[in-house]
Structure formats: C-alpha cells, structure tokens
Amino acid sequence: MTTSPDDASAVIAELERRLAEAEETLAAIRLGEVDALVVRGAHADEIFTIEGEAGYRDFMEAMDPGAVALDSHGHVLYATQRVATLLGVPFDQLQGRHFSETLSTENSARFEALLAAAAAGQPVAGARFAGRSDSHFDISIGAMRIGTVSGYAVTFTDVTERVRTEVAEQNERIARAVIASANEAVLVCDRAGIVTHANAAAAGVHDGELVGHRFADVVTLVFPGATGLMQSEDFIALALSGTPVQGIEAVAPNAPKVKDYLVSIAPLRVVGDQISGCVITMVDLSQRKAAEQQQLLLMAELDHRVKNTLALVQSISSRTLSAEDTLEGYQVAFSGRLQALAATHNLLAVRSWSNLQIGDLLAAELAPYLDHGADRIAAEGLTFSVVPRAAVALGLILHELTTNAVKYGALSNDQGKVTVFAAERASEDAPFVIEWRESGGPPVGAPTRRGFGRTVISHSLRYSATGSAELNFEPGGVRCRIVVPHEDVVI
C-alpha cells in the first residue's frame, strides 16, 4: 500500500494538532483551568473531576504508587501522602525540601547516585530501598518537563509485604535445613499438637509417618523422674502455655530402636509473642545409659574386689603373725607379701582389671633382683594369660618362691639359677602347668617346720578344683609344680 505526499502531510498535521492539544491540557491542569478529565478505558470511559490544585492532588493521591515531583536540583515540588507514610516523614515537611534529606544516610547516597543516572539518560526502575519501621519500597525515576520547569518524576511502590513474604520463605527454608541437618530427632508441632515437621533422625522415634499426626498419638513418652501422671499431652501443653522444658529424661517404650532420650521442648514463636506451636528435641541417650550401666557394674565389681582384698590382707596379717617369732620378722614378711599383692594389683590396674600374662607377673616379682642377676633367671613359654583372681594367687605364690630363693635357695649365692617355664601340654584338655626350678644353690633340705609361706604356695589356687601347687625340696634345688585352674586361662 502506498501513501501519497498529500496523505502524509495530513497525518503529520493531525499529530501536531493532537500534540498541541495535549500540551494545552497539561498546562490547563497545572493552572487549574480544567474541571474534569476523561480517561478512555478498554470497556468504559472514566471521568476525573479536577478543580484547582486540590482536585489535582486528589487525582494524584488516587494513584496506587506514591509519587514525588522534583526540580532539577532534587527539591520536592510535589509529593503524595503515601510517600510521606513510606518514609515516616510528616507530609508538611516534604514540600520544598531536598528529597535526599528525608532518607537515611545510606539511602540518601544511593538515591543521589540514581538521580545522577537518570539525569544522564539512564533508565532507573525498581531500585529496592528499606524505609523506616521495617518498610520496603521500589523507586523508579524518570526525567520530566512541565512547561519551562525541568525535573524528575519519582514513583514509589510499597513492597513491604512482598519482602516480608520473601523473608518468611527464606526463614522457612533455613529452618527446614537446620532441622534436617540436626543429628538428634527434631519435631515441630502446631497448637493442636499435630506434627508439622520432622527430620530424618525422628524416624528412630516412631516406625511410621509422623507429619500430620498428633504427637501424643504416635510418640508415647514415660518420664521416670516425674510422678507418673505426666504424659505426652502434658509435655506439649507446658510448651504451648509458654513454659519451656529442657533436658529431662524420658523413655519411649514404643520406639523401634532407641528407648532412652533426653527430651526438651520450647514454645514456637513466629510472629511477635504469639505461640504458634512447639519444637521438640529428643537426644539419644543409649550410649550414655550403657556407660552408666557399665559404671554401676564396675563400682559393684570394685566394691567386691576391695572387700576380697581386705579379707586377704587380714588373713595374711594374721597368719604371718602366727608364723613369725619376732616383731621384726613379722614386719619384713608382712610388708613383702603386701608389696607382692600391690605389684599384682598395679599390673591389673594398668590393664583395667583384664587378663594378665604370666611372664609379666614373674617379672614384677623378680624385678628387685634383676639388676644384679638377670642372667641367672630364665623364663620360657610364659605367654598365656590368666584372669584377675588367678593373677592375684599366682603373684603371691611367685613372691613366696622368690623370697625363699633369695634367703635360702639359688639366689642366695652367686652361682645359683632359677628357671621358670610352661610345661608342654600333651593335648588341649591337659592342664596348664608352670615349673619353678632352682639349681646351683646351697644344698637343700626339707624344713623342719611348716611356715606360712608354704601354706600360701599350696593353698592359693585351691579356690578351684583344678588348681594346685606342689613344692618339693630336692637336693639339687627347690622345685615347684603349679597347676593353673583351666577355667582361668586365656590363650
């Protein structure tokens, strides 16, 4: 389709006429010469009555976004009430004031930068600002000219609710992430006690769906330290009333695995002080309970051992006293036996009262004599271990044998030797035998009197039917055959 020069001239003339009418209309509105304005809509025309300056202001106030007209220097020519509300500034203090002075220091610097950008012809739209009283708004700036006055038109869009919604959504995401990453079970309930959130660890509390069910229906809690009347419902009611409960022990009898928990609950306050639910934390106490049980067992075992040790010391004291002729002799013998008992106890304490190797027992008893005669003592095959009760008995036996060897036997001169070895077993059912043999010492003769030392040797292992110790005074040296109770040996 072609257009003749005459038609083009007609179109240009029409556009110039309409432009002139628009400028006249704007000028008339500014000067208060227009009574009404008709705005054509898609379905119907709307008529705005404009009577003088007041009518013009009513027209501007009817617009949803706040608006400010600034001169070329940034002073306020006109502002709507909505802007004053957003900024928290009295409306009558806006007119004629430099607009950046109504903003905070940080916002003022940003606004000046945006105003400079608009003056340079750069578009400024949707710049986010934080106002007073937790309000937020977006600013758009455009250059304008009214008659001979040049300036800027600034529009304000209140986005406070949008920002609050975004913050709430972000907080919700953060809360979900925190709950999900917690090692302990975390559950969130609403005011009706219905579970709204539960992390993965909460699966150990209930073997089934938690979310959407009443906490009291899916998680049964028993509080051993309470009166017995407190139930899960009462637990939640405390938090909903504003009373937090922290770190009380509870048992979940219906839980699939862990039964013991350290439970805490706190009111959930989302907006202000209003309680919208509660947060329940359940910490697994199974390891602590196991440790406490182990501690109780150890205390009971320690009490038992202390009583046995005291009884043994009392017996040693009494029998030593009856076997010695002088107080000095009693003191030396009794102290030696106590030291032997203490040496065995020290070894057991280092190993937390677990099994003890025979070679370690022998080394502890012979330690005072190894510096001067280590080459005179030989140990072979003493690699098996015994339980604590056998260790105590063997420690006393080895002490008596060592004391006798130092006083009268192979260790009483410079040539004697002591050999201690584990006899070879013919079968798995054969007893565990330890041989003590002395050689190279003074001639040996059977003592005319049976002292307490021989009693210790022969009776210490008789707590078991399979334990014994036989002492022989042979001319070439003392020999002792020790049979360790089969049930006390650990290979």
Side-chain angles (χ1 to χ4, degrees):
M1 177 179 178
T2 58
T3 302
S4 65
D6 293 338
D7 292 337
S9 299
V11 171
I12 294 173
E14 179 62 21
L15 291 176
E16 290 177 347
R17 182 184 66 77
R18 291 184 180 181
L19 180 58
E21 287 181 355
E23 290 180 348
E24 289 178 2
T25 301
L26 290 174
I29 291 173
R30 187 168 61 252
L31 298 175
E33 297 174 352
V34 176
D35 296 329
L37 189 67
V38 178
V39 179
R40 295 194 180 278
H43 304 289
D45 295 342
E46 295 185 50
I47 301 176
F48 293 89
T49 301
I50 302 175
E51 297 178 356
E53 183 179 354
Y56 181 76
R57 287 186 176 276
D58 291 341
F59 173 71
M60 294 297 293
E61 292 290 356
M63 298 173 64
D64 182 63
V68 172
L70 305 178
D71 64 15
S72 59
H73 300 291
H75 292 89
V76 177
L77 298 174
Y78 174 78
T80 61
Q81 181 64 48
R82 182 177 292 274
V83 174
T85 302
L86 285 173
L87 299 179
V89 178
F91 180 75
D92 57 1
Q93 293 184 13
L94 286 175
Q95 191 70 26
R97 190 175 180 184
H98 199 285
F99 184 72
S100 61
E101 295 177 357
T102 65
L103 304 175
S104 65
T105 303
E106 180 181 356
N107 285 344
S108 176
R110 279 193 63 205
F111 183 79
E112 290 291 340
L114 293 175
L115 203 61
Q122 300 176 11
V124 177
R128 182 66 51 85
F129 280 76
R132 293 180 173 86
S133 301
D134 198 29
S135 63
H136 299 268
F137 50 86
D138 287 350
I139 288 180
S140 297
I141 305 175
M144 75 169 187
R145 183 178 183 84
I146 302 177
T148 60
V149 179
S150 298
Y152 306 94
V154 185
T155 57
F156 291 73
T157 303
D158 189 353
V159 293
T160 302
E161 290 304 320
R162 187 196 309 169
V163 171
R164 288 176 180 172
T165 301
E166 291 173 354
V167 171
E169 291 176 351
Q170 183 180 9
N171 290 340
E172 173 72 9
R173 289 193 296 270
I174 293 173
R176 287 178 180 273
V178 170
I179 292 174
S181 61
N183 292 325
E184 61 272 9
V186 180
L187 302 97
V188 180
C189 298
D190 60 16
R191 288 196 60 82
I194 296 175
V195 179
T196 59
H197 299 79
N199 64 350
V205 177
H206 174 67
D207 189 12
E209 186 63 36
L210 286 165
V211 176
H213 297 275
R214 291 180 69 250
F215 177 83
D217 293 339
V218 293
V219 181
T220 301
L221 293 179
V222 178
F223 302 92
T227 61
L229 299 176
M230 186 175 178
Q231 303 295 327
S232 298
E233 296 93 335
D234 307 310
F235 184 62
I236 291 180
L238 284 172
L240 295 179
S241 66
T243 303
V245 179
Q246 185 174 5
I248 61 174
E249 291 191 17
V251 177
N254 300 329
K257 295 181 181 179
V258 179
K259 307 293 184 181
D260 298 299
Y261 290 94
L262 190 69
V263 183
S264 300
I265 188 169
L268 177 62
R269 292 181 170 90
V270 178
V271 180
D273 292 331
Q274 185 177 359
I275 298 175
S276 59
C278 61
V279 180
I280 304 168
T281 305
M282 302 178 66
V283 180
D284 180 2
L285 283 184
S286 56
Q287 292 185 353
R288 197 183 89 175
K289 285 294 182 180
E292 290 177 353
Q293 186 64 28
Q294 180 67 16
Q295 186 178 28
L296 290 175
L297 292 174
L298 290 175
M299 290 297 293
E301 179 68 16
L302 177 62
D303 180 64
H304 174 71
R305 287 174 179 169
V306 168
K307 289 179 179 178
N308 286 349
T309 301
L310 290 176
L312 179 60
V313 170
Q314 186 176 14
S315 175
I316 292 174
S317 174
S318 175
R319 299 295 294 273
T320 302
L321 181 62
S322 64
E324 296 295 332
D325 297 329
T326 65
L327 183 60
E328 291 79 6
Y330 163 77
Q331 183 178 5
V332 172
F334 181 63
S335 296
R337 285 161 184 158
L338 281 187
Q339 289 172 3
L341 187 62
T344 303
H345 275 246
N346 286 338
L347 290 175
L348 289 170
V350 169
R351 290 163 176 77
S352 300
W353 282 83
S354 60
N355 306 325
L356 200 60
Q357 199 172 79
I358 300 295
D360 294 336
L361 274 172
L362 179 64
E365 294 303 328
L366 292 174
Y369 315 103
L370 292 179
D371 292 341
H372 303 290
D375 57 336
R376 300 168 57 193
I377 301 171
E380 300 174 2
L382 304 180
T383 56
F384 64 91
S385 299
V386 293
V387 299
R389 69 172 184 174
V392 172
L394 286 171
L396 290 173
I397 292 173
L398 293 173
H399 168 73
E400 296 298 332
L401 290 172
T402 301
T403 301
N404 185 74
V406 171
K407 285 184 177 181
Y408 315 109
L411 299 180
S412 65
N413 61 17
D414 296 333
Q415 294 80 34
K417 293 183 179 180
V418 174
T419 302
V420 185
F421 61 93
E424 185 175 351
R425 300 171 65 213
S427 66
E428 291 185 359
D429 296 330
F432 290 86
V433 178
I434 300 173
E435 293 276 354
W436 173 286
R437 294 184 181 181
E438 298 182 23
S439 61
V444 176
T448 58
R449 164 179 144 180
R450 185 181 180 89
F452 179 53
R454 292 178 63 185
T455 302
V456 170
I457 293 172
S458 60
H459 286 75
S460 291
L461 290 173
R462 286 188 181 178
Y463 62 81
S464 171
T466 61
S468 64
E470 182 182 353
L471 186 64
N472 295 309
F473 295 91
E474 299 180 1
V478 171
R479 293 193 178 189
C480 184
R481 184 175 185 270
I482 304 169
V483 180
V484 183
H486 194 281
E487 66 272 20
D488 288 351
V489 176
V490 180
I491 300 178

